[in-house]
Amino acid sequence: MNETRRESIASLFEIVSSLERKWANEWNSHNTMGLSKTHIFILDLLHGEGPMRPSALAERLHVTTGGVTVLTTKLIKAGYIIKTQNPTDRRASQLEITEAGHELLVTAHEHITNIVDRMFGMLTEEEIHSLRTIFSKCLLG
């Protein structure tokens, strides 16, 4: 790798790290829900895909089933999801979003939209599309 490319990649790493910190700061400073981005992602998955087994949720989140237990305990206690018996396998449980979870998701999406507008509102549609393409390519590679 030549020196110019190495410097460009180092610079990109610094920018991405700063952007990640800025996103986290934006989330935390305006978050009145008391939930992490991962909690909201869980609600999004359950909303979009319906009830899921904890193991399937763990796979989607790239965490262990123990990690799912830790994350979902807070959502269950708050009434945003419930744990039910899987109708096709009585030995297995599944997680399901509640009406309160759906309502919270509306608030969360508004919060996310506001963050995205503050952070990326100056970009054109073409630039946003390019970023999505580039970031997606990086995740696959």
Side-chain angles (χ1 to χ4, degrees), residues 6 30 32 36 42 57 60 63 74 96 104 123 126:
R6 187 183 328 275
H30 297 93
T32 60
S36 70
I42 289 170
L57 198 51
R60 290 294 304 273
V63 299
K74 185 171 187 174
E96 185 175 343
L104 179 75
L123 300 177
E126 184 178 324

Side-chain angles (χ1 to χ4, degrees), residues 51-104:
M52 296 176 77
R53 293 178 66 161
S55 58
L57 198 51
E59 189 174 307
R60 290 294 304 273
L61 296 172
H62 306 289
V63 299
T64 64
T65 53
V68 166
T69 299
V70 170
L71 288 164
T72 58
T73 296
K74 185 171 187 174
L75 294 171
I76 292 169
K77 285 183 180 177
Y80 299 129
I81 63 174
I82 56 172
K83 187 181 257 188
T84 60
Q85 191 176 49
N86 187 316
T88 58
D89 181 355
R90 299 170 96 176
R91 298 167 295 164
S93 64
Q94 62 185 17
L95 300 165
E96 185 175 343
I97 190 169
T98 64
E99 187 56 40
H102 286 291
E103 291 170 11
L104 179 75

Side-chain angles (χ1 to χ4, degrees), residues 11-66:
S11 174
L12 180 60
F13 180 79
E14 290 176 28
I15 291 168
V16 169
S17 295
S18 296
L19 191 59
E20 183 180 27
R21 280 191 304 279
K22 183 177 180 181
W23 186 289
N25 289 338
E26 286 285 327
W27 178 266
N28 293 331
S29 67
H30 297 93
N31 181 1
T32 60
M33 297 167 283
L35 298 173
S36 70
K37 293 176 288 184
T38 306
H39 287 118
I40 302 307
F41 186 51
I42 289 170
L43 292 175
D44 256 335
L45 285 172
L46 295 175
H47 169 75
E49 298 183 17
M52 296 176 77
R53 293 178 66 161
S55 58
L57 198 51
E59 189 174 307
R60 290 294 304 273
L61 296 172
H62 306 289
V63 299
T64 64
T65 53

Side-chain angles (χ1 to χ4, degrees), residues 112-136:
I112 291 165
T113 298
N114 289 336
I115 291 172
V116 170
D117 284 346
R118 281 193 299 277
M119 290 183 63
F120 302 102
M122 78 295 291
L123 300 177
T124 66
E125 288 300 316
E126 184 178 324
E127 290 169 327
I128 291 168
H129 177 73
S130 294
L131 278 178
R132 284 188 66 226
T133 301
I134 292 166
F135 290 157
S136 296

